[in-house]
Amino acid sequence: MQAKGFVLVVCLCFIVMVSAMAFSALTISQLSQRIGIAGQLQTQRYLTMKVKHLRQLQQLAAAPQPGATSITCPPQWAVWSDTSQQCQLLQLADTATAPDEAEPWGTLVWRRDLASVVAGGV
Amino acid sequence: MNKWTLGLWLITTLYTLTTPAQAFAAGTAAATIRFYQPQADLSYQELAATPAITGAFCAAPRPDTVPLPFNNSAGQPIWLQLGNEQGNLRWFGAEATGVLLSDTVLPATGVLPEADAASLIAPPLLLLPAATSAKTGAATSQPRAVSTDVVWHDMAADQYQRADLSDLQAPRLLWRWSPPTAQQNAWLQTPVLAWLEKQQAVLLINSATAAKPALWLLSAATGQLLTELDLQSGYRQGQQAAVAVGALKAPPATLDLDGDGAFDRIYQIDEQGQLLRLDMARDFSYQSSLVANLTGQGLSFASRLLAVRALLPVQGATSQSVSRKAVDVVVLLAERQQQYQLMVLFLPEQMTAPLLLADVQQNHQPAAAGTQLPARQTTSPGSAFGWVQSLAGQPLALPEIIAGVLYLPMQSVSTAALACDKARQADVLLALHLYQASAVYTDPELKIPMQLPLRLATQKDGSLALQQSVDGKLVLEALRGVAASCAGCTEVLNVQQLSQWQQLATYRQEEVH
């Protein structure tokens, strides 16, 4: 009688242990699936945002933009020697306040400011 | 007629009588010259009587005058012609002419002295932008508009002056500065404007003498000496043997390497052709190195240097991979017995040995339009050191680079003696590809009669053109610039395309939740 009870207890312990292992495995797989989905969504969001960001870059007009700072023109192939020529540097970054709407991409753009050069002499 | 009507009639009659008198006075003012003498308290006093040295001045603007956009007494925009006649600052306007006299007496020549012929290439005075004035504040993000402040070298008195010409009836002397060492060989120097931190304007002035080759940095606002660079003892220790630096006649060129608006590199060449590179720190400490040795052929280097930062394509390990490397492009004008040479040097950051004249004497004749690079340059354009071009005339202005194309106005026949009443008339415009010395237009030397200086202007279709500053006459239309699509390609410049925003870098921002 005692032996049967012992076997029953051992079986119950084994069942509990196997159940716990199976539950943890299920939990881990579910968690990893969720992490995977979240990562996939994040990557998809990054790509969507990047496409949106690049689209905004393409729509950036040639006109001066507010917030641009005047800098020395960076080295370039089609170089200009006029010392009065200045370039403008603009940091296009997200200004959204909500974290979910925050755009993860930023871009530095520059343009040549020809106003002073065209007015000056050669 | 009551007394009010009588009073009104009197006022009207007096106004009618005085108005032609004023107009007559203004008309006669055009024929008169006002003379101003500097005083000890840094003011100018107008002389009541015409000084005896009047005959030494040109009656008309000299060829080396510099045009300055100016508003006359009626507020109308006019061009003011500014000249430096042996230390005397002259101005020619539509209403009057004036002279800020030097402390020393002029020799009565009446024509351009031979030594001043070099000033035809570089302007003999410096027009300062408005941001250099202490009264307008230092830092500004606005474009640097031209002010009416002028800095010039009084060669006879060996001093530099800055004057405010906003009121031509009462010009103001802002400061004057004398070099600490007297120049043994007087040479007209035009200060070079550069910018330090916080938009502080500085002037770079050479000592023309070979006895003590030095470069002085002055505050443009106050005229105070900021530092003196002793170029004789300033060589980089341990790498190069000290070389005797000759007379420094060519004004230097500055470069801003990090894009912060302040210069941190100076190129300086002595008369014999030793080109120095000076890397400056914020505390004015510097390291210098000899980057090119162009001596040996009797060339004289006295024209102002031109230095720009450019990206050159460099062939990578594989045949397809091409990267771009930033190099300094230095443009020089050399002269030997009235024969001029144009030199373009490509100077990389790290140089194991100074560049020699033989390294760059590859292109003596300009190639035709569309000609590709020589085989050595085609395979590795970045390894080219530059090119030399013999000029078939006398340059009349400093070289100018517009979108990778080098322009140089010249006079096909060199003139030893220049009359002072002739305009700066060029008849050849040299236009070459900056990297390949090939023709960009139909001919490398465009036969176009033109009166200098020239200016850039936009056409109705957005293309750029070169015009005469004096009357806007078209000199060259549909300007072309080098294109990155192939080695020798050029394209028509368009303002809309040139003003496009260009992507520098795209980065991922850090998200903070």
Side-chain angles (χ1 to χ4, degrees), chain A residues 55-105:
Chain A
R55 200 174 294 135
Q56 284 178 345
L57 280 178
Q58 288 175 349
Q59 292 171 352
L60 196 64
Q65 298 288 327
T69 54
S70 191
I71 59 163
T72 307
C73 293
Q76 51 206 296
W77 172 250
V79 67
W80 293 60
S81 64
D82 198 320
T83 53
S84 64
Q85 189 188 45
Q86 291 281 296
C87 287
Q88 293 176 334
L89 183 71
L90 181 65
Q91 186 176 7
L92 283 176
D94 177 52
T95 54
T97 52
D100 291 341
E101 298 173 2
E103 192 176 305
W105 298 101

Side-chain angles (χ1 to χ4, degrees), chain B residues 343-394:
Chain B
M343 299 184 183
V344 174
L345 309 180
F346 306 143
L347 302 172
E349 195 67 24
Q350 301 294 334
M351 297 189 68
T352 54
L355 210 62
L356 300 176
L357 203 53
D359 296 329
V360 291
Q361 283 179 327
Q362 303 290 330
N363 303 311
H364 282 282
Q365 295 299 324
T371 305
Q372 295 298 312
L373 281 168
R376 174 171 160 267
Q377 292 183 328
T378 306
T379 52
S380 180
S383 67
F385 300 113
W387 48 269
V388 178
Q389 175 75 51
S390 295
L391 301 180
Q394 178 181 357

Side-chain angles (χ1 to χ4, degrees), chain B residues 1 39 81 133 257 272 331 436 476 502:
Chain B
M1 181 184 293
Q39 304 296 307
Q81 297 287 330
S133 175
L257 301 180
Q272 287 75 34
V331 183
Q436 308 187 16
L476 184 63
Q502 299 178 51

Side-chain angles (χ1 to χ4, degrees), chain A residues 46 60-63 72 75-77 79-81 91 93 99 103-112 118 120-122, chain B residues 256 261 309-311 313 400-401 403-404 434-435 454-456 482-483 498-502 504-509 511 513:
Chain A
Y46 275 139
L60 196 64
T72 307
Q76 51 206 296
W77 172 250
V79 67
W80 293 60
S81 64
Q91 186 176 7
E103 192 176 305
W105 298 101
T107 299
L108 284 172
V109 290
W110 70 279
R111 71 184 282 273
R112 196 178 285 108
V118 172
V122 175
Chain B
D256 175 15
R309 198 90 167 133
L311 282 181
E400 191 82 16
I401 302 169
L434 179 65
Y435 307 111
L454 305 180
R455 69 181 181 195
L456 265 178
V482 299
L498 289 171
S499 304
Q500 289 282 345
W501 287 95
Q502 299 178 51
L504 200 62
T506 296
Y507 55 91
R508 267 178 64 173
Q509 300 184 104
E511 294 184 53
H513 295 288

